[in-house]
Amino acid sequence: MNRIKNTFETLRRKGEKALVGFVSAGDPSVETSLEIIEAMCREGLDILELGVPFSDPTADGPVIQRSSGRALQAGAYLETVLEMTRKIRHKTDIPIVLFSYYNPILAYGAARFYGDAVAAGADGALVVDLPPEESEEMTSQWVGKDLNLIRLVAPTTPPDRMSAVAEGASGFLYLVSMTGVTGSGGLDLKEISQVTETLRERCHGMPICVGFGISTPEQVRAIGALADGIVVGSAFERIIESHLNDPQVAGKVGDAVRALKDATR
Amino acid sequence: MNTSAHGAGQSASFQGIAGAPDSRGHFGIFGGRYVGETLMPALLELEAAYTTMSPQPAFQQELRELLQHYAGRPTPLFAARRLSAKIGGAMIYLKREDLAHTGAHKINNTLGQVLLARWMGKQKVIAETGAGQHGVATATAAALFGMECRIFMGEEDIRRQAANVQRMRLLGAEVESVSSGTGTLKDAMNEAMRYWVGAVRDTFYVIGSVAGPHPYPKMVRDFQRVIGDEAREQILAAEGRLPEMLVACVGGGSNAMGLFYPFLEDPVEIVGAEAAGLGISTGKHAATLGAGTVGVLHGSKSYVLQDEHGQIQEAHSISAGLDYPGVGPEHSYLKESMRARYEAVTDQQALHAFHELCAMEGIIPALESSHALAQAMIEAARRPARDILMVCLSGRGDKDLGIVSEHMKALP
């Protein structure tokens, strides 16, 4: 069963776009994080990107840096994230993509990571600092095809490199909306439209999800006209950060999911 | 101990070691390019530019003239006779990078990279800095070429290296204070990489060490090898033979690679001095090669200080330039292949060496370089007077006077 593929097919039939939601696993605590994720799924999230916290997140802006820091304080190392994955999988069929920097996976062991991630019910992995040039050292240790390798495409990626990036990828392609870290401002819809079109011709029909800097229903609607899915991360983390001691935090994130999901229909 | 036979044995088995990295930037299992996709095209562009432009005679000539007439090269090779006599062992020669313009070896690399940036048509440069020496050297080169310059520096380093912050500002650079983490070099590099992701289209990132993704470790080494090339010529002129040993301090490891590289296939023993901080057993140190494990940090695979979960740990050293939980991949490669040996020197040992050099030779060394000196003094004491030991005195200590006087006051 390929949950990612099924999700995109179902959405296509319904004429909807995928809302992909990122949260740092374990922020602000493992228990609350699970409640938040449950609320997100309940309110219509289509795909969950579960962030594996890392001490030095160089591709992330301040919001996700801080959320990653809080999650590490809460002890959310890769082992714990996999345990969380198992618990989420018990409750829902939502596709789960583990979003990580390479070093935690390297320390865990790439073969062990594959086995444990699949066993826990994860559907894909995106390793943000592992470009195609280096990814074989990890994927050569993956025995089986039960984990999609999601790859990033950037606005700086030249067209022929897009083909090479798409070549080893599966599940969907994650198109970075801008040159910048997560949570940056300044979406340029015209540029995104052009890059999406160029990528479309080179990705063999793989779904394209656009992320970085998307936080409002209006932006979701605009990007939804171009791509198959929209990734939102920092916007959820901002809500978590401003409701750290609020017992209603899960509900607040859930409300945001619902508003954004409505914009994908 | 028959040191020369030991050295010859090394040489026989290390032919070809200077041929690394391979075309994808790998030094054995180390090195590589572990960065997000946004930066990959920029690294490929940089690699292509470096490979095609830097060998051109016009580029080489321009760089040679800058190094000679602007940076003040060649720097002297000085026989530290009084210090050597006091130790009563091998003769210590100091490669005087402290006498280069801006007061450290860093200028060799920044002139090379900023020149390359100009050849590539980039108008803006950014850099990370720890002790501030690389920041000052980048700001200097940027001022010389009339380029915009932004330097990322940890908040703690801004405090302990205030003089260098002022120098950078005088040179027209924007100094960005980085408060994340421990506010030291690692955090400055994180922030420089984040900024670069957003500005990659028109901005050249001048990395100051032999760290970072390919092609930086190779490129920085190539720009720094002038240290070793000169030292080799100078020692042959002075003594008619190669030294028995080279010693240099290793944070990221650029002055060390610069000195070591031209000798890698020679019968010369090579020793790197890392910072042991308060002592390895206290956990407050920066001895990445001595006490770290293999991981990926800042774009390359190398030894790093990390916990069992792959989270990077904080380093500690009295010297801001060595206060880094990573190390250049080529050093990891030299360690694994046993071509070089890496020892750890504590804050106290470095301070002692600092004072010895001031008193015995009238030279105030940087605290970074004082680590190399401390190790060299240990090595020299074990060797006969006929042996020659060459130390890279990578920088001068003016920037460290505040820290040193704080420590002198703290003494009982």
Side-chain angles (χ1 to χ4, degrees):
Chain A
M1 174 181 56
N2 190 321
R3 293 185 197 94
I4 295 177
K5 202 171 163 207
N6 290 348
T7 295
F8 280 108
E9 275 171 12
T10 309
L11 289 169
R12 202 166 291 163
R13 273 199 304 274
K14 292 201 282 186
E16 291 178 22
K17 301 302 167 129
L19 179 67
V20 184
F22 170 98
V23 282
S24 293
D27 172 29
S29 69
V30 172
E31 201 180 315
T32 310
S33 184
L34 284 168
E35 284 170 21
I36 292 169
I37 290 162
E38 209 176 310
M40 292 172 85
C41 295
R42 197 171 51 232
E43 299 299 341
L45 191 72
D46 296 305
I47 296 175
L48 173 66
E49 268 190 9
L50 199 52
V52 178
F54 181 49
S55 53
D56 294 81
T58 51
D60 285 301
V63 174
I64 291 179
Q65 285 173 49
R66 289 194 297 268
S67 78
S68 197
R70 286 191 299 270
L72 285 176
Q73 285 286 318
Y77 302 117
L78 180 50
E79 215 152 10
T80 308
V81 178
L82 291 170
E83 190 47 44
M84 288 177 68
T85 305
R86 186 187 310 278
K87 287 183 177 157
I88 299 162
R89 179 53 69 231
H90 272 302
K91 296 194 172 171
T92 154
D93 268 333
I94 192 170
I96 303 173
V97 174
L98 299 171
F99 189 105
S100 185
Y101 288 81
Y102 184 44
N103 203 49
I105 295 174
L106 184 64
Y108 194 86
R112 183 176 160 226
F113 169 75
Y114 176 85
D116 291 356
V118 171
D123 304 284
L126 191 161
V127 188
V128 61
D129 54 352
L130 200 65
E133 282 81 353
E134 306 289 351
S135 69
E136 205 198 312
E137 71 171 67
M138 180 182 75
T139 52
S140 64
Q141 298 183 58
W142 288 11
V143 275
K145 289 188 184 314
D146 296 323
L147 205 56
N148 284 140
L149 180 68
I150 318 292
R151 281 202 177 135
L152 295 168
V153 175
T156 50
T157 309
D160 44 340
R161 188 176 161 82
M162 285 178 179
S163 316
V165 172
E167 198 59 48
S170 56
F172 61 90
L173 284 169
Y174 186 141
L175 175 63
V176 177
S177 67
M178 64 178 81
T179 55
V181 292
T182 54
S184 310
L187 278 187
D188 181 342
L189 284 174
K190 205 170 147 207
E191 187 187 19
I192 296 170
S193 163
Q194 283 165 355
V195 179
T196 311
E197 240 171 77
T198 314
L199 181 58
R200 217 31 111 195
E201 292 159 14
R202 289 164 178 80
C203 68
H204 320 293
M206 223 184 309
I208 299 172
C209 296
V210 177
F212 281 40
I214 303 171
S215 60
T216 66
E218 293 69 35
Q219 290 170 328
V220 167
R221 204 165 286 122
I223 304 280
L226 310 167
D228 306 298
I230 302 95
V231 191
V232 177
S234 297
F236 298 138
E237 290 294 354
R238 267 186 216 109
I239 298 171
I240 295 172
E241 184 162 50
S242 55
H243 295 86
L244 282 180
N245 297 310
D246 184 345
Q248 308 298 318
V249 61
K252 305 261 189 217
V253 180
D255 291 346
V257 167
R258 192 181 333 115
L260 295 172
K261 180 56 204 172
D262 284 344
T264 68
R265 290 184 172 118
Chain B
M1 182 169 65
N2 186 337
T3 51
S4 57
H6 174 60
Q10 278 194 341
S11 144
S13 47
F14 291 116
Q15 289 303 320
I17 198 162
D22 66 17
S23 61
R24 295 189 307 145
H26 293 115
F27 300 86
I29 67 160
F30 303 105
R33 273 177 291 224
Y34 297 85
V35 297
E37 177 60 24
T38 309
L39 294 181
M40 272 309 292
L43 291 175
L44 295 168
E45 180 200 2
L46 173 61
E47 184 191 1
Y50 176 65
T51 312
T52 56
M53 290 172 184
S54 76
Q56 291 179 29
F59 185 97
Q60 285 298 321
Q61 166 136 5
E62 204 174 345
L63 181 57
R64 205 163 36 239
E65 283 173 7
L66 285 167
L67 289 173
Q68 184 183 345
H69 301 296
Y70 186 69
R73 305 205 69 89
T75 57
L77 182 70
F78 176 71
R81 293 183 200 283
R82 290 192 70 222
L83 179 68
S84 304
K86 184 175 176 190
I87 295 165
M91 181 70 193
I92 296 176
Y93 275 88
L94 303 175
K95 179 58 175 164
R96 298 288 308 275
E97 292 301 299
D98 59 316
L99 293 177
H101 180 41
T102 70
H105 70 292
K106 294 291 187 188
I107 191 78
N108 305 329
N109 170 49
T110 61
L111 286 174
Q113 285 196 46
V114 175
L115 185 61
L116 183 62
R118 207 181 54 164
W119 274 54
M120 290 171 73
K122 308 269 181 185
Q123 280 304 313
K124 300 177 185 170
V125 297
I126 58 167
E128 83 295 338
T129 196
Q133 291 301 111
H134 174 60
V136 167
T138 304
T140 299
L144 179 67
F145 290 126
M147 291 165 82
E148 238 178 80
C149 178
R150 188 183 295 258
I151 305 291
F152 295 85
M153 187 169 186
E155 167 177 87
E156 164 67 8
D157 289 340
I158 286 182
R159 186 192 66 77
R160 57 181 169 173
Q161 302 286 354
N164 273 343
V165 175
Q166 202 181 350
R167 291 167 81 197
M168 287 183 266
R169 291 190 171 134
L170 285 171
L171 292 161
E174 291 272 344
V175 181
E176 297 261 355
S177 172
V178 178
S179 59
S180 56
T182 46
T184 58
L185 180 54
K186 177 193 80 153
D187 311 297
M189 197 150 176
N190 284 343
E191 212 49 44
M193 288 180 80
R194 289 183 187 119
Y195 181 88
W196 197 34
V197 172
V200 65
R201 286 190 165 116
D202 65 353
T203 301
F204 188 106
Y205 182 13
V206 183
I207 291 184
S209 196
V210 285
H214 179 63
Y216 284 100
K218 172 184 159 58
M219 178 169 69
V220 176
R221 176 200 75 195
D222 291 350
F223 285 137
Q224 289 292 1
R225 68 170 289 172
V226 65
I227 302 171
D229 285 332
E230 285 176 12
R232 187 189 172 89
E233 218 169 277
Q234 289 165 323
I235 198 70
L236 288 174
E239 297 275 359
R241 65 184 182 88
L242 294 179
E244 270 68 30
M245 182 183 279
L246 307 174
V247 185
C249 65
V250 179
S254 71
N255 87 88
M257 272 326 303
L259 176 67
F260 297 167
Y261 186 69
F263 295 90
L264 285 184
E265 298 183 3
D266 289 325
V268 174
E269 216 180 311
I270 294 178
V271 179
E274 293 193 293
L278 302 179
I280 307 265
S281 61
T282 66
K284 290 190 172 297
H285 63 83
T288 308
L289 290 161
T293 49
V294 177
V296 167
L297 174 67
H298 294 151
S300 62
K301 189 186 278 180
S302 193
Y303 275 80
V304 293
L305 296 178
Q306 59 182 334
D307 66 15
E308 77 264 34
H309 305 290
Q311 306 295 337
I312 309 303
Q313 289 174 319
E314 293 168 359
H316 169 86
S317 170
I318 190 173
S319 138
L322 303 182
D323 199 347
Y324 181 60
V327 66
E330 193 165 10
H331 285 293
S332 293
Y333 178 58
L334 296 182
K335 174 195 156 85
E336 284 298 283
S337 56
M338 289 164 66
R339 176 61 190 97
R341 164 161 68 87
Y342 294 87
E343 304 287 350
V345 170
T346 65
D347 291 350
Q348 284 308 318
Q349 287 174 298
L351 280 167
H352 173 71
F354 174 94
H355 288 295
E356 282 292 286
L357 196 70
C358 293
M360 300 307 294
E361 303 288 352
I363 297 171
I364 301 174
L367 283 174
E368 290 77 18
S369 323
S370 300
H371 286 72
L373 266 176
Q375 187 59 36
M377 286 159 64
I378 293 169
E379 303 286 347
R382 294 177 186 154
R383 289 173 169 270
R386 63 169 185 277
D387 278 9
I388 302 169
L389 207 153
M390 229 157 44
V391 182
C392 188
L393 198 72
S394 54
R396 68 178 184 222
D398 310 39
K399 69 185 174 63
D400 295 318
L401 300 185
I403 302 169
V404 171
S405 65
E406 266 175 45
H407 276 263
M408 286 170 79
K409 269 185 246 153
L411 290 177

